[in-house]
Amino acid sequence: MKNKKSTTTFEVIMWIPRILFLVVLMFAIMLLIRSFVNTTIDSSELQANVFANRVLYSTNAISYVDPDTQRVYPGIVDLDKLKSAISDKSLEKSISYGKKNLEIGAKFSVNDMKENKIDFFYNEDFFREQEKIAGSGFTEGPGGAKLYVKNYNIIVQKGSVLTNGVLTMSIVIPNS
Amino acid sequence: MKKRAVCCRLFSFRKSQANEVYHVLIQAAIALAVYLTMQAYIDSVSKDTLFEKVYLSKDSGLLMDTVYGSPGELTYEYKNDLVGLNRFKFSFKNQRASIDEAESKSKLTAEQPYGEDMNAPYSGNDISNSDKIVFSKTKTGLSTGKG
């Protein structure tokens, strides 16, 4: 009788590792299923392209706007407008991501082929911070950032004088 | 008389036999519980709309950026045949396109930031139960509404 009782107790105790193993197995299957479900979409390059196009095409950015017709000339950068955009930070106002912008930063270089180069920033502190992260090769995963550099052939307007030039945009977008 | 004895013996186990039967029953109950748990989990994964919400938030947020970037006045009708738009609620507040389920408010809301032009600020209400969204940009502002 004592022998039978001990056998039953042993069997009940043996259930504990079996149930623990079962729980571990269930979590493993759940993780396996979850690993095949993708919910992240990397749209950072598209975001950079949209931002660049917005700077070029928007009425309230850096492109020349005809005062009579209000037509925007996307390939013509108005130097007077650019200088006022730099001084009063109007670009931050026309593309506003809220009080603290942790979404995007950019550096613009306008070179008019006569060695006149104007550099200006959009969200400067954030750009400098994220540029270092992207430059160090930390481009994947949370905490990383991606840098996109785009060159556009433009016409630089200084008063009534038009000259050829190149606009270089460096845009950084954090991963999360 | 003989038949009755067989019938009674069928349910009259000895204690050791009863223990074995209980063990089998416990194993069956555990197997059923595991099956039901896994089935419920797989159902929740298949019904999950997080991917659709992330996709729609990115699509509508980038569309807001594009509409703001247009060099003039613009009216754009946004439709999407891949995802039923009427299942979701769209909100454009504080420079964020937020998507949630229209029927039941879930814990996870997908958000995508967009750059608002403060010279033409956004004005509009939340949009739900609609198959299309109309974006209208004028010189003074941008608004959204049901089609």
Side-chain angles (χ1 to χ4, degrees), chain A residues 67-125:
Chain A
D68 298 325
T69 60
Q70 295 300 311
R71 184 188 160 188
V72 183
Y73 289 80
I76 301 175
V77 173
D78 188 348
L79 272 191
D80 295 333
K81 197 175 176 182
L82 183 66
K83 280 171 185 167
S84 71
I86 296 166
S87 63
D88 59 13
K89 295 204 166 187
S90 64
L91 201 60
E92 267 90 344
K93 199 182 164 194
S94 64
I95 308 174
S96 168
Y97 283 87
K99 282 180 185 172
K100 200 173 183 187
N101 180 356
L102 300 175
E103 311 300 338
I104 197 163
K107 182 189 175 187
F108 305 90
S109 296
V110 177
N111 194 338
D112 70 353
M113 305 292 186
K114 288 179 182 173
E115 295 176 0
N116 294 321
K117 194 178 175 187
I118 301 170
D119 288 345
F120 64 103
F121 292 88
Y122 170 85
N123 199 11
E124 185 174 354
D125 293 343

Side-chain angles (χ1 to χ4, degrees), chain A residues 152-166:
Chain A
Y152 296 93
N153 292 321
I154 55 163
I155 293 169
V156 182
Q157 185 184 20
K158 194 175 182 181
S160 58
V161 181
L162 300 174
T163 50
N164 290 329
V166 176

Side-chain angles (χ1 to χ4, degrees), chain B residues 19-49:
Chain B
N19 278 343
E20 277 180 31
V21 171
Y22 291 146
H23 277 139
V24 172
L25 285 174
I26 289 166
Q27 282 182 40
I30 289 171
L32 188 69
V34 168
Y35 170 76
L36 290 175
T37 310
M38 296 307 291
Q39 189 66 48
Y41 176 71
I42 290 166
D43 279 350
S44 74
V45 169
S46 66
K47 285 177 189 164
D48 191 21
T49 56

Side-chain angles (χ1 to χ4, degrees), chain A residues 1-171:
Chain A
M1 188 69 189
K2 197 182 175 185
N3 197 19
K4 273 182 188 174
K5 200 174 180 180
S6 65
T7 310
T8 311
T9 312
F10 176 75
E11 278 180 18
V12 170
I13 289 168
M14 276 308 288
W15 275 105
I16 296 167
R18 281 179 194 165
I19 288 171
L20 282 174
F21 177 72
L22 196 68
V23 169
V24 169
L25 199 70
M26 275 173 67
F27 275 106
I29 291 170
M30 283 175 178
L31 282 174
L32 199 69
I33 292 168
R34 187 53 73 182
S35 70
F36 283 100
V37 179
N38 182 21
T39 55
T40 54
I41 305 165
D42 182 16
S43 62
S44 59
E45 191 172 2
L46 178 62
Q47 208 178 331
N49 282 331
V50 170
F51 179 82
N53 285 338
R54 197 166 162 182
V55 170
L56 284 175
Y57 287 89
S58 177
T59 327
N60 302 316
I62 59 169
S63 291
Y64 172 71
V65 179
D66 190 308
D68 298 325
T69 60
Q70 295 300 311
R71 184 188 160 188
V72 183
Y73 289 80
I76 301 175
V77 173
D78 188 348
L79 272 191
D80 295 333
K81 197 175 176 182
L82 183 66
K83 280 171 185 167
S84 71
I86 296 166
S87 63
D88 59 13
K89 295 204 166 187
S90 64
L91 201 60
E92 267 90 344
K93 199 182 164 194
S94 64
I95 308 174
S96 168
Y97 283 87
K99 282 180 185 172
K100 200 173 183 187
N101 180 356
L102 300 175
E103 311 300 338
I104 197 163
K107 182 189 175 187
F108 305 90
S109 296
V110 177
N111 194 338
D112 70 353
M113 305 292 186
K114 288 179 182 173
E115 295 176 0
N116 294 321
K117 194 178 175 187
I118 301 170
D119 288 345
F120 64 103
F121 292 88
Y122 170 85
N123 199 11
E124 185 174 354
D125 293 343
F126 185 73
F127 173 82
R128 289 188 190 281
E129 180 192 307
Q130 295 296 313
E131 188 197 20
K132 281 177 188 158
I133 295 171
S136 67
F138 188 30
T139 56
E140 298 296 328
K146 290 192 176 87
L147 174 70
Y148 299 98
V149 180
K150 296 170 189 303
N151 291 303
Y152 296 93
N153 292 321
I154 55 163
I155 293 169
V156 182
Q157 185 184 20
K158 194 175 182 181
S160 58
V161 181
L162 300 174
T163 50
N164 290 329
V166 176
L167 169 65
T168 304
M169 290 192 206
S170 306
I171 303 163

Side-chain angles (χ1 to χ4, degrees), chain B residues 64-144:
Chain B
M64 282 290 274
D65 265 325
T66 310
V67 171
Y68 264 126
S70 67
E73 295 190 356
L74 175 78
T75 300
Y76 181 79
E77 208 171 78
Y78 176 67
K79 285 182 187 172
N80 197 319
D81 297 330
L82 297 171
V83 184
L85 289 186
N86 53 6
R87 291 192 291 143
F88 300 97
K89 187 176 88 176
F90 292 76
S91 175
F92 301 95
K93 277 175 192 160
N94 302 323
Q95 295 87 32
R96 277 174 193 279
S98 311
I99 313 294
D100 208 341
E101 278 158 45
E103 299 297 321
S104 58
K105 190 166 173 62
S106 61
K107 285 177 189 170
L108 293 169
T109 302
E111 287 189 334
Q112 170 72 20
Y114 65 85
E116 186 174 359
D117 189 346
M118 290 306 174
N119 302 302
Y122 170 76
S123 63
N125 297 319
D126 293 354
I127 298 161
S128 55
N129 300 317
S130 178
D131 287 326
K132 56 186 174 183
I133 303 168
V134 178
F135 293 81
S136 300
K137 188 202 162 199
T138 60
K139 279 179 192 171
T140 54
L142 192 150
S143 63
T144 53

